[in-house]
Amino acid sequence: MLIAGNWKMNTDVASGTKLASDIAKAAADADLGSVALAVCPPYVSLMPVGDALKGSGVALGAQNMHQEDGGAFTGEVSAAMLVSAGCTHVVLGHSERRQYFGESNHDIQQKVARARQNGLVPILCVGETKAERDAGDAKTVVEGQVRGGLADVPFDAPGDLVIAYEPVWAIGTGDTATPEQANEMHAFIRGLVADLYDKAFASDVHILYGGSMKPHNAEDLLSQPDVDGGLIGGASLDADSFIAIARHGAAIEAKA
Ligand code: PGA
């Protein structure tokens, strides 16, 4: 299981570094078994957060990157730069990037490919809007995002890819998908990955749920057979609630 925190455009260098130290400490005090943790702070905090996480086993990820290796792209950050700052993971195609910054499935596919070329694990985000779900199009939309985002990108091992199913209507709204809705879409996504690669690969790829996952609902969501962890926004900004979610994951894994 993987529990990843997406801090979005929250925290500054000082408060982000403090949050990372608090998470590292709380993770050390908790018995998390084989549950892996990652945090994705804003770019400016990557290095101090990485320093604060040293030795903790908590992985460092970014929230975005540019698809080109370098050059005249003012304001952008490349995959190689993220690696040089200590990142192992990068969130790609988050719905806020798609919605507010016009990222297309094609842009995201280029980013996924470039992330892999540089050894980063992409956390590819997919998910439908409320209007798309209400129109009965949720699976069609998610299928387009999965096939579009992964098109022709090779992966050596299932650990090199993470997919996050984040229904847009559940992000930051407190309106979580039901465990059944989440599991149904996760199983569908796993089937798509099996079709694109193979069954063994698909069965080991981590598919995370994201969208108002909190300590009080984490157990129900994480205990679903096709839910392999969470991508946590709001609740990842507090070390205790972030680790409380991971603890639920550890308890479920211990029972399995
Ligand atoms: P949320 O965000 O947990 O605040 O809903 C999740 C995400 O957008 O990754």
Side-chain angles (χ1 to χ4, degrees):
M1 206 175 283
L2 170 66
I3 304 294
N6 172 13
W7 295 1
K8 308 192 180 184
M9 198 169 74
N10 295 297
T11 69
D12 59 15
V13 173
S15 62
T17 307
K18 163 89 169 53
L19 175 57
S21 320
D22 290 349
I23 288 172
K25 190 173 174 312
D29 292 345
D31 186 6
L32 297 180
S34 60
V35 173
L37 299 178
V39 297
C40 305
Y43 290 136
V44 293
S45 303
L46 285 170
M47 292 190 58
V49 163
D51 286 342
L53 295 176
K54 270 211 176 90
S56 70
V58 181
L60 183 67
Q63 300 172 18
N64 183 31
M65 50 166 255
H66 195 269
Q67 56 267 43
E68 295 297 331
D69 268 335
F73 298 99
T74 301
E76 293 295 329
V77 169
S78 73
M81 292 175 195
L82 296 182
V83 171
S84 75
C87 290
T88 52
H89 292 66
V90 60
V91 174
L92 294 175
H94 190 279
S95 64
E96 288 148 20
R97 301 294 318 169
R98 296 176 189 263
Q99 217 177 329
Y100 307 135
F101 302 96
E103 289 190 16
S104 66
N105 285 329
H106 176 71
D107 298 330
I108 294 158
Q109 185 271 349
Q110 299 220 301
K111 293 181 183 204
V112 171
R114 190 68 76 189
R116 279 315 303 147
Q117 283 168 14
N118 284 272
L120 289 167
V121 175
I123 302 175
L124 170 65
C125 300
V126 300
E128 80 286 356
T129 63
K130 170 105 177 51
E132 289 161 346
R133 177 162 283 262
D134 290 347
D137 293 337
K139 284 188 177 161
T140 312
V141 169
V142 167
E143 177 164 7
Q145 292 170 337
V146 170
R147 289 191 186 278
L150 295 177
D152 301 320
V153 183
F155 292 91
D156 295 329
D160 294 342
L161 170 65
V162 176
I163 297 178
Y165 170 57
E166 301 204 303
V168 178
W169 46 272
I171 294 177
T173 59
D175 197 9
T176 319
T178 65
E180 295 73 26
Q181 282 172 326
N183 197 63
E184 185 185 353
M185 191 62 90
H186 282 228
F188 176 68
I189 292 168
R190 205 178 299 284
L192 295 172
V193 175
D195 186 46
L196 286 167
Y197 300 95
D198 64 55
K199 234 174 153 185
F201 178 86
S203 76
D204 286 347
V205 162
H206 280 135
I207 304 180
L208 313 183
Y209 170 81
S212 300
M213 190 188 278
K214 310 281 179 197
H216 73 86
N217 59 27
E219 184 178 3
D220 283 348
L221 288 159
L222 294 174
S223 54
Q224 294 297 310
D226 278 299
V227 176
D228 307 315
L231 182 56
I232 322 295
S236 73
L237 294 170
D238 175 76
D240 290 339
S241 59
F242 185 60
I243 296 301
I245 292 171
R247 269 215 191 86
H248 283 298
I252 290 160
E253 291 219 321
K255 272 192 252 159

